[in-house]
Amino acid sequence: MSQGSGSVLVGIYQPGTTLLHRLPVGVKVVALGVLSLSIVLVRSMPASFAFLAVALLLVSVARVRLRTLWRAARSILVLAAFVAAFQWWWYGGAKAIESFVDLVTLALAAVVVTATTSVNAMLDAVVRWLGPFRRIGVKPERVALAFALAIGALPGTVTLAHETRDAARARGLGRHPRAYLSPFVIRVVARAMETGDALHARGIGDD
């Protein structure tokens, strides 16, 4: 397994001083949501290419390195090609192209937000956004911690999936889903328990 294949949008933050780097996290998240909703609601091939042009412009403004862009989006390209193939079969070439372009655009937009926003900045924003909910018992810091743990665990979880799959194939069981899923679930649960024990040992989650 090649280095870095375990994640798609994790760990690609690229420090910089561009306009997109300086924008508040909330503005970028809202803009990403608006763009995503627009892509879903506006169904036409010309609109799809227009949205793609916007995403490419954002990539250029953010000065995302091509290597970073490729490392982050290659898995999405495979998914987009897979979806487009089915769309071609069911609805024809025009629909397939539109779906492919839309998925690539969404991936590029997500890469821009991730590449211009540090994890710490994102977690600080989560704490601020959830601050008003303290009065009803929500603990923003704990939610942010869970968010950080989820981000940190994603590459490791995907790595476990690859390792378990390779082990199943080595035993000649690659075609049997149970031979892959059962060990994978056990390993994921074991890692979660180890993380919980480590947090408990540090007094986190005792209150």
Side-chain angles (χ1 to χ4, degrees):
M1 182 178 63
S2 61
Q3 184 70 19
S5 62
S7 63
V8 178
L9 297 176
V10 178
I12 66 167
Y13 172 62
Q14 181 181 302
T17 58
T18 70
L19 173 63
L20 292 176
H21 282 84
R22 297 195 302 270
L23 282 177
V25 177
V27 173
K28 287 185 278 191
V29 171
V30 170
L32 177 61
V34 171
L35 178 62
S36 302
L37 186 61
S38 300
I39 291 172
V40 171
L41 295 179
V42 181
R43 311 306 303 170
S44 74
M45 190 179 299
S48 294
F49 281 99
F51 289 131
L52 177 61
V54 171
L56 290 173
L57 177 62
L58 294 175
V59 168
S60 177
V61 171
R63 298 177 184 174
V64 180
R65 291 187 292 267
L66 290 179
R67 182 178 179 182
T68 299
L69 190 64
W70 169 247
R71 182 165 64 90
R74 58 187 175 184
S75 298
I76 301 297
L77 289 174
V78 174
L79 174 63
F82 182 76
V83 171
F86 275 96
Q87 293 282 355
W88 194 298
W89 183 29
W90 288 331
Y91 303 111
K95 185 67 174 178
I97 294 173
E98 180 185 338
S99 297
F100 180 84
V101 173
D102 284 347
L103 287 174
V104 170
T105 301
L106 289 170
L108 292 176
V111 168
V112 168
V113 173
T114 309
T116 59
T117 310
S118 68
V119 174
N120 286 337
M122 185 65 74
L123 296 182
D124 289 342
V126 170
V127 172
R128 289 197 305 272
W129 297 338
L130 294 178
F133 296 96
R134 290 181 187 274
R135 66 190 65 181
I136 60 174
V138 175
K139 297 182 177 180
E141 291 80 7
R142 183 164 295 181
V143 175
L145 174 62
F147 187 73
L149 289 174
I151 293 175
L154 182 56
T157 301
V158 177
T159 298
L160 286 180
H162 284 292
E163 291 175 352
T164 307
R165 178 201 61 192
D166 293 341
R169 288 178 176 175
R171 297 195 305 270
L173 301 174
R175 295 182 178 274
H176 299 277
R178 185 174 298 178
Y180 162 73
L181 290 176
S182 297
F184 173 64
V185 171
I186 291 173
R187 295 183 70 183
V188 170
V189 171
R191 172 165 291 190
M193 293 179 66
E194 290 175 359
T195 302
D197 291 341
L199 293 175
H200 181 72
R202 289 163 175 78
I204 300 175
D206 291 338
D207 54 338

